[in-house]
Amino acid sequence: MSEDIKVDLELDLKGLLCPMPMVKVSQKIGDVPVGGVIRAVATDPGSMADIPAWAKSTGNEVLSAGKEGDEYVFLVKRAK
Amino acid sequence: MEPQQVDTLTGVLDKKMTRQLKQYLDICARCAICKDACHQYVATGDLTYLPARRAELIRQIYKKYFTKTGEFVPALYEARDPDESLLDELYESTYACTGCRRCMYYCPFSIDTAWILSVAKAILIAADRGNEMLGQLADAALMKSDNFDMFRDIILDGFKDIEGKVKEMTGDPSAEIPVDKEGADVLYVALAGAHSILPAAAIFHEAGTNWTLSMFESANYGYFFGDAEKARRIADRFMDEAKRLGVKEVVITECGHAYRVAQFFHEAWSGEKHPFKVRHILEVIDEYIRDGRITVRHGAITEPVTYHDPCQVGRNGGIFEQPRDIVRAIASDFRDMTPNREEQWCCGGGGGLVAIAEMEDFRLKSGAKKLEQVKATGARIIASPCENCRLQLEGLNDQLDLGLTVKPVMDLVVDAMEIRR
Ligand code: SF4
Ligand code: SF4
């Protein structure tokens, strides 16, 4: 499904320790237009709860979050 | 500004007005001794960051609304309304402060500028001018606990991934990360990141501790944001867990502000005495080494090592010797910085500043004193038990390509620990 989604910004968050992956997504969400999508790749397992929690509390949307090998991959859509 | 808004903001100040705060606001002699104590003022020479000047903005509102002379002859007493221009200045000087309290240490009257600025944050939040990023991070933490059913399995899956690494690290397939364990002696409260769980799990395992890992992280952005209610609720998440599990002790990971919140603020905020002890992980590890519950190899590190006292662990937390004892037990060449302990320079990374993108240049610039200190030791490794400090120290290291290694103290312990199996 994720292949159909146009990604506006790729964020490499590998090696960053929580909560920095969430912080970086939050800092960069303004760089994509409303409705735009960030694809973020992190390696800290804490990001699997942090990024969706941040999205839910800020009204943004996590289209998908999943583990691929040792990486955690997120598609985050800017909602407003 | 609408009179109603002025009422709201002065109302916040009124609510926070204790005898202690009033004394801080009345007593400042404007001697400016604090200017040489603040790493931010020293590095920039900008009056915005002079501690007494930051507090002066709150003093100006205080004079206008809480003293008779200021009310009647405001110009003479520099009394001011909390108008937009004052709030602009207040935002700049307040959210830049790391809360290191080095200014208080040197002030002849022990004026706690960081406390005055905690009142400034409450005023800014009431004016809807709280720092957005810090507010978002506080809300995200509460989102996890308020919707725990939604996050529980995700959090547990993360712990399982880390557990696999603990087994590898200890070489023991029975090593585990216990969660939600009633009757455990210790509730360990980590950060959301694996790096704060993995070494502690290996150390607890080796020491034979009956422990359990908190489902929640100890980092508290509500505290940095300046919202006491949110800060309390963020800490309640693991304090309630500790009560429910009946642990004897809550152990906070290598973090400065989280330790200070748990040890010094939470009881006052919640109005309840904790039925357990609170300790920093390095107090516990030092005890394990002294009692022979874990063994570390002296000389495991031969490169020169220095130790940075995070302000919230050292000056404001009173923990100076245990981390040094641990580092000395491992490193054959330990070199303390000058000055150190209570007088240690703030690295510039506290107060939540590492999360605020627009402050990055300023933050790195403010680390000038710390850099001088580190360079003077000739150390190649900096050990420091605070995530914010480490991010700042790494930033300084990268910016100047110094080739230093910045490490949590726990990582040094794990590298030097003799696994007995
Ligand atoms: S050192 Fe203390 S008394 Fe002197 S200016 Fe600073 S805050 Fe005021
Ligand atoms: S607490 Fe630290 S950063 Fe804040 S004004 Fe005082 S010395 Fe400066």
Side-chain angles (χ1 to χ4, degrees), chain B residues 27-35 51-52 103 106-109 111 113:
Chain B
I27 209 171
C28 175
R30 301 190 177 191
C31 64
I33 288 174
C34 51
K35 80 179 187 339
C103 51
Y106 286 96
C107 169
F109 302 107
I111 293 176
T113 301

Coordinates of all heavy atoms in Angstrom, one line a residue, chain B residues 27-35 51-52 103 106-109 111 113, ligand 1:
Chain B
I27 N 14.7 41.5 46.9 CA 16.0 41.6 47.5 C 17.2 41.9 46.5 O 18.2 42.3 47.0 CB 16.3 40.3 48.3 CG1 17.2 40.6 49.5 CG2 16.8 39.2 47.4 CD1 17.3 39.4 50.4
C28 N 17.0 41.7 45.2 CA 18.1 41.8 44.3 C 18.8 43.1 44.4 O 18.2 44.2 44.3 CB 17.6 41.6 42.9 SG 18.9 41.8 41.6
A29 N 20.1 43.1 44.6 CA 20.9 44.3 44.8 C 21.5 44.8 43.5 O 22.2 45.8 43.5 CB 22.1 44.0 45.8
R30 N 21.2 44.1 42.4 CA 21.7 44.5 41.1 C 23.2 44.6 41.1 O 23.8 45.4 40.4 CB 21.1 45.8 40.6 CG 19.6 45.8 40.6 CD 19.1 47.0 39.9 NE 17.6 46.9 39.7 CZ 16.9 47.7 39.0 NH1 17.5 48.6 38.3 NH2 15.6 47.6 38.9
C31 N 23.8 43.7 41.8 CA 25.3 43.7 41.9 C 25.9 43.0 40.6 O 27.0 43.2 40.3 CB 25.7 42.9 43.1 SG 25.3 41.2 43.1
A32 N 25.0 42.3 39.9 CA 25.4 41.6 38.6 C 26.5 40.6 38.8 O 27.2 40.2 37.8 CB 25.8 42.6 37.6
I33 N 26.7 40.1 40.0 CA 27.6 39.0 40.2 C 27.2 37.8 39.3 O 28.0 37.0 38.8 CB 27.8 38.6 41.7 CG1 28.5 39.7 42.4 CG2 28.4 37.2 41.9 CD1 28.6 39.6 43.9
C34 N 25.9 37.6 39.2 CA 25.3 36.5 38.5 C 25.7 36.5 37.0 O 25.7 35.4 36.3 CB 23.8 36.4 38.6 SG 23.0 37.9 38.2
K35 N 26.1 37.6 36.5 CA 26.4 37.6 35.0 C 27.6 36.7 34.7 O 27.6 36.1 33.7 CB 26.7 39.1 34.5 CG 28.0 39.7 34.8 CD 28.1 41.1 34.2 CE 29.4 41.7 34.3 NZ 30.4 41.3 35.2
P51 N 21.2 36.8 34.1 CA 20.2 36.2 35.0 C 19.3 37.3 35.7 O 18.1 37.2 35.6 CB 21.0 35.5 36.0 CG 22.2 35.0 35.3 CD 22.5 36.2 34.4
A52 N 19.9 38.3 36.3 CA 19.1 39.3 37.0 C 18.2 40.1 36.0 O 17.1 40.5 36.4 CB 20.0 40.3 37.7
C103 N 23.7 30.6 38.6 CA 23.6 32.0 39.0 C 23.2 32.0 40.5 O 23.7 32.9 41.2 CB 22.6 32.7 38.2 SG 21.0 31.9 38.0
Y106 N 26.1 31.4 42.9 CA 27.1 32.6 43.1 C 26.4 33.8 43.6 O 27.1 34.8 44.1 CB 27.8 32.9 41.8 CG 28.8 31.8 41.4 CD1 28.6 30.8 40.6 CD2 30.1 31.9 42.0 CE1 29.5 29.8 40.3 CE2 31.1 30.9 41.8 CZ 30.8 29.9 40.9 OH 31.7 28.9 40.7
C107 N 25.1 33.9 43.6 CA 24.4 35.1 44.0 C 24.5 35.3 45.5 O 24.3 34.3 46.3 CB 22.9 35.0 43.7 SG 21.9 36.3 44.5
P108 N 25.0 36.5 46.0 CA 25.2 36.6 47.5 C 23.9 36.4 48.3 O 23.9 36.1 49.5 CB 25.7 38.0 47.6 CG 25.6 38.7 46.3 CD 25.4 37.6 45.2
F109 N 22.7 36.6 47.6 CA 21.4 36.4 48.3 C 20.8 35.1 47.9 O 19.6 34.8 48.2 CB 20.5 37.5 48.0 CG 21.1 38.9 48.4 CD1 21.5 39.8 47.5 CD2 21.2 39.2 49.8 CE1 22.0 41.0 47.8 CE2 21.7 40.4 50.1 CZ 22.2 41.3 49.2
I111 N 19.5 34.1 45.2 CA 18.2 34.3 44.4 C 18.1 33.2 43.3 O 19.1 33.1 42.5 CB 18.2 35.7 43.8 CG1 18.1 36.8 44.9 CG2 17.0 35.9 42.8 CD1 18.1 38.2 44.5
T113 N 17.0 32.4 40.2 CA 16.4 32.9 39.0 C 15.6 31.9 38.2 O 14.6 32.2 37.6 CB 17.6 33.5 38.1 OG1 18.3 34.5 38.8 CG2 17.1 34.1 36.8
Ligands
SF4_1 S1 23.9 38.1 41.9 FE1 21.9 38.0 42.9 S2 21.6 40.0 43.9 FE2 23.3 40.2 42.4 S3 22.2 40.9 40.5 FE3 22.3 38.7 40.3 S4 20.4 38.0 41.2 FE4 20.6 40.2 41.9

